[in-house]
Amino acid sequence: MNLNTDTTDYRCGFVAIVGRPNVGKSTLMNHLIGQKISITSKKAQTTRHKVTGIYTDNTAQLVFVDTPGYQTYHRNALNDRLNLNVTETVHGVDVIVFVIEALRFTDADRAVLEQMPKQVPVVFVVNKLDKAKDREVLAEFIANAEKEYDFVATEVVSAKHGLRITQLIEMLKPMLPHSEPMYPEDMVTDKSSRFLAMEIVREKLFRYLGEELPYSMNVEVEQFEEDPETGMYSVYIAVLVDRDNQKAIVIGKGGKKKKKISTEARLDMEK
Ligand code: GDP
Ligand code: MG
């Protein structure tokens, strides 16, 4: 497929999928990014988001970002920090997809809604459509649920059965800013794992080398192989610098910086 991404009509932006546990967020994500087509390679940008999946077609690229999940039952310091992370993530996105189960709107759902930033549009997605056989009951449920928040739009889907996923994507597109695609392809292929591995290393470079230096660097995957017997990956990533004297900065005293960057990157990749 030929992508005409030079036109300013193209849209690209960040989408956060939120909701209490078990409403079907992961299932939905899998279906959203399952419709992969390839796209001509563009240089990746560093973002402050944790990307979990990318949907790309010839009119838009939807970049789904991770939210660690809301913990609303047990309040403690760690959960508060997790929730803070979620709140920070959803602040930086272009649109939020708030997922619930058909015919169930609980206090846990409300607790998630309460944390939504007012300036980001929230799309209401009622999942598990297959469970709501009576369309009148469903319509009434939705009408009541829509009173809970000032949603910009509503869509009914079945993530598990792949129903109305395309409609959801089409609805989200106009909510994204005009922009060229930020990523070369989605993340369900091996190549995408390579890309993710590079992103992780890039993130560590930013963390440990300060803000300016990494911009003059490039990260390249030299080897990315899976051992078919153990399922373990061998990943070799090169950090390319502009000038010789920058090498020492990356490596650090006694190799300390390099070790820290590679160890942390490896731990993230394993996850
Ligand atoms: P998450 O915790 O929000 O990420 O939810 P999951 O994606 O893990 O899904 C929770 C459960 O709901 C799983 O057993 C899914 O198979 C199921 N599920 C997800 N979508 C649907 C759907 O459209 N219909 C039905 N019947 N079950 C679904
Ligand atoms: Mg999940």
Side-chain angles (χ1 to χ4, degrees):
M1 167 161 221
N2 260 329
L3 281 185
N4 185 9
T5 56
D6 293 335
T7 112
T8 49
D9 286 344
Y10 202 83
R11 289 184 188 259
C12 176
F14 293 102
V15 182
I17 299 180
V18 304
R20 68 168 164 82
N22 223 33
V23 292
K25 297 181 296 296
S26 301
T27 313
L28 179 62
M29 172 82 78
N30 287 340
H31 272 88
L32 284 166
I33 63 175
Q35 321 184 3
K36 180 186 149 27
I37 58 155
S38 64
I39 167 173
T40 49
S41 180
K42 291 251 167 154
K43 262 258 167 310
Q45 282 180 1
T46 321
T47 73
R48 54 197 198 82
H49 294 301
K50 274 207 155 99
V51 172
T52 52
I54 300 172
Y55 168 86
T56 308
D57 68 20
N58 58 354
T59 63
Q61 180 172 71
L62 282 61
V63 183
F64 295 97
V65 298
D66 204 13
T67 54
Y70 287 86
Q71 248 298 2
T72 48
Y73 299 111
H74 310 289
R75 268 189 81 96
N76 63 36
L78 177 64
N79 289 339
D80 282 353
R81 258 182 48 203
L82 271 178
N83 286 342
L84 187 68
N85 272 341
V86 176
T87 311
E88 278 172 3
T89 304
V90 293
H91 267 91
V93 300
D94 299 296
V95 56
I96 296 168
V97 171
F98 171 67
V99 186
I100 65 152
E101 282 180 87
L103 308 184
R104 284 190 74 191
F105 204 112
T106 68
D107 283 344
D109 293 313
R110 283 184 192 95
V112 174
L113 266 186
E114 272 166 24
Q115 297 181 67
M116 296 301 108
K118 291 285 164 281
Q119 72 276 18
V120 181
V122 179
V123 170
F124 183 39
V125 170
V126 180
N127 186 32
K128 310 198 183 183
L129 167 64
D130 54 296
K131 282 190 164 179
K133 295 273 182 270
D134 188 329
R135 289 301 135 108
E136 253 175 58
V137 172
L138 180 64
E140 200 189 326
F141 166 80
I142 291 171
N144 281 323
E146 281 173 337
K147 292 175 192 154
E148 300 268 352
Y149 195 89
D150 193 10
F151 299 112
V152 293
T154 301
E155 187 57 85
V156 187
V157 302
S158 171
K160 195 176 168 183
H161 300 282
L163 295 175
R164 299 190 60 82
I165 305 294
T166 315
Q167 282 86 342
L168 176 58
I169 287 171
E170 290 307 316
M171 173 200 275
L172 293 171
K173 281 179 182 177
M175 300 175 189
L176 305 178
H178 288 289
S179 157
E180 294 202 339
M182 285 179 281
Y183 293 92
E185 56 198 274
D186 80 20
M187 297 208 165
V188 282
T189 68
D190 242 7
K191 261 210 173 117
S192 308
S193 304
R194 298 166 72 112
F195 177 71
L196 204 53
M198 289 195 295
E199 279 286 279
I200 288 169
V201 171
R202 219 186 302 265
E203 181 199 293
K204 302 304 168 200
L205 289 170
F206 271 95
R207 179 167 305 168
Y208 292 108
L209 300 179
E211 287 290 313
E212 285 92 57
L213 194 53
Y215 282 111
S216 62
M217 292 180 177
N218 216 340
V219 175
E220 256 174 32
V221 177
E222 296 196 319
Q223 192 190 323
F224 195 96
E225 271 167 23
E226 187 184 3
D227 183 326
E229 265 160 42
T230 61
M232 299 274 281
Y233 280 87
S234 301
V235 181
Y236 289 82
I237 291 178
V239 177
L240 310 172
V241 293
D242 269 347
R243 289 188 302 275
D244 242 13
N245 65 0
Q246 293 174 334
K247 265 194 216 168
I249 301 172
V250 182
I251 293 165
K253 221 177 173 186
K256 262 192 174 160
K257 270 258 156 69
K258 189 185 125 228
K259 181 137 205 268
K260 187 143 193 92
I261 289 165
S262 59
T263 303
E264 286 209 7
R266 179 174 55 76
L267 290 173
D268 274 13
M269 285 177 209
E270 283 172 4
K271 268 193 230 151

